[in-house]
Amino acid sequence: MYETPLTGLVLSGGGARAAYQVGVLHAIAQLRRGCHVSSRRSPFGVICGTSAGAINAAALACNADQFDAAVEGLTQVWQQLRTAQVYRADSLGVVRTGAQWLTMLSIGWLLARWRKARPRSLFDNAPLVDLLAELVPLQRLPRMLRGRHLQALAVTASNYNSGEHVTFYQAAAPLAHWVRSQRISAPAELSCAHLLASSAIPFLFPATELALDGRGEWFGDGSMRQTAPLSPAIHLGAQRLLVIGVGRMVEQSGRRIANNGYPSLAHVAGHALSGIFLDALTADVERLQRINRTLALLSDEARVATPLRQIDALVIAPSQHLEDIAARHVADLPPPVRGLLRGVGVHSGGNAAHGAALASYVLFESGYTRELIALGERDVMARRDEVLAFFGWAAAEAAAGR
């Protein structure tokens, strides 16, 4: 049976930045072992993920009966990752998608008559299907739910047809689904297609068709128009939340990138992606904190009368700028991909102003992902006492030390 209070895990999106989440989880697993917690099960009864976070979430959920092994498996995959495992990085693959896509932007009016000259995205993520088959054993998910190792897994995606943000979820028992302005939920038997849709970064990766209300509709990355990333976990019953972001939650004022002339396409794209992936989580965490403070001011009778409830949340996010780390690893990308990105303004050389923000989302190379994993581990260990207190493991550690 999952642990009480029911703990929800929220993994945000961010392409290759999701390696940071794995480092955080690896350190948490290490702390739990150090406290001699006997259970092998996952400490998370509700797991929600968006974009690349949905892939990590699904991998954990499908192995909810063996948390340490699940985290170790994720860690090994991310530590050894290569770009070619996520999207076509060979010359032919880049020409068929990226080069044609950029060409369409410039002379599309001339080529529009030929449908074959209409690539759907900058990159072809066909290799990701094989990686997902290795990393996410979705056939185990029903067993995890039946065995009460897990209450629910949720994956979010954005509907290009309706503009709605949709949370697809699979649960151990029937749950009331929710409808809010521009965001809805839908029970579903989760599949590889849901993970591909949720992680389809706009313009970079192609949309995926999913069934919704008996009809096929096209979906892209779940971080788009995601105004309340904490909401699905709360609707699915979580009583407290561990939230792992992939960008700094509090930005110091005064950080500037040198003005080297008009911003490149890569600079603008990186800025836009940061807005898609990072800003909504920060705003929703602040909203949750305001609600908690308001509830704390109410009398017991007033708290009972309101549908709102206090949700404790532990938020762990990078202590460093991930684009600065990415800048050191742009040269690790395969030459065809480097050439393509150079055309939109991504340059290596250690300067984060040269499109490294965009590169930080597509840099699926082990040098970069290993650094992010190590950063996640350090950030958890720096907050060790806070993490132990959140999970209630401090007492177990003290008892083991007697």
Side-chain angles (χ1 to χ4, degrees), residues 240-264:
R240 62 182 181 183
L241 300 177
L242 173 66
V243 183
I244 308 178
V246 294
R248 288 172 62 85
M249 299 295 291
V250 178
E251 196 57 78
Q252 293 181 346
S253 61
R255 175 178 165 89
R256 295 286 188 275
I257 293 176
N259 185 350
N260 295 319
Y262 191 83
S264 67

Side-chain angles (χ1 to χ4, degrees), residues 364-378:
F364 294 94
E365 291 292 330
S366 61
Y368 175 58
T369 59
R370 284 174 182 267
E371 272 209 57
L372 298 195
I373 290 171
L375 177 62
E377 292 173 342
R378 290 196 303 273

Side-chain angles (χ1 to χ4, degrees), residues 62-254:
C62 293
N63 293 288
D65 58 337
Q66 44 189 3
F67 179 67
D68 286 354
V71 171
E72 193 60 37
L74 269 174
T75 303
Q76 289 181 9
V77 168
W78 279 94
Q79 284 180 334
Q80 300 167 12
L81 198 60
R82 292 289 183 271
T83 298
Q85 294 176 271
V86 179
Y87 57 87
R88 289 280 302 273
D90 58 291
S91 298
L92 181 59
V94 168
V95 168
R96 282 181 172 174
T97 54
Q100 285 192 16
W101 193 81
L102 293 177
T103 300
M104 287 292 294
L105 291 179
S106 59
I107 57 172
W109 59 272
L110 182 62
L111 301 177
R113 72 187 68 177
W114 294 291
R115 293 187 60 84
K116 289 184 179 180
R118 296 181 183 179
R120 297 181 173 185
S121 59
L122 194 62
F123 298 114
D124 176 3
N125 65 347
L128 182 57
V129 175
D130 292 333
L131 180 62
L132 291 177
E134 172 192 347
L135 185 61
V136 186
L138 283 166
Q139 72 278 4
R140 298 190 86 242
L141 182 58
R143 193 191 321 166
M144 297 300 98
L145 294 168
R146 287 196 305 269
R148 299 289 176 171
H149 301 292
L150 182 74
Q151 176 159 307
L153 168 65
V155 171
T156 61
S158 184
N159 190 328
Y160 284 124
N161 293 88
S162 68
E164 291 177 317
H165 179 262
V166 183
T167 296
F168 296 95
Y169 68 89
Q170 193 166 341
L175 297 171
H177 51 92
W178 61 94
V179 177
R180 298 292 185 271
S181 176
Q182 290 300 304
R183 52 188 174 94
I184 64 173
S185 65
E189 183 176 339
L190 295 176
S191 66
C192 176
H194 290 91
L195 303 181
L196 289 172
S198 181
S199 58
I201 299 175
F203 301 112
L204 300 184
F205 301 126
T208 298
E209 189 174 21
L210 298 174
L212 181 66
D213 296 330
R215 60 181 180 272
E217 299 192 359
W218 290 96
F219 287 83
D221 198 292
S223 295
M224 294 186 289
R225 311 192 75 172
Q226 188 180 36
T227 58
L230 306 184
S231 176
I234 296 171
H235 280 292
L236 292 171
Q239 297 164 307
R240 62 182 181 183
L241 300 177
L242 173 66
V243 183
I244 308 178
V246 294
R248 288 172 62 85
M249 299 295 291
V250 178
E251 196 57 78
Q252 293 181 346
S253 61

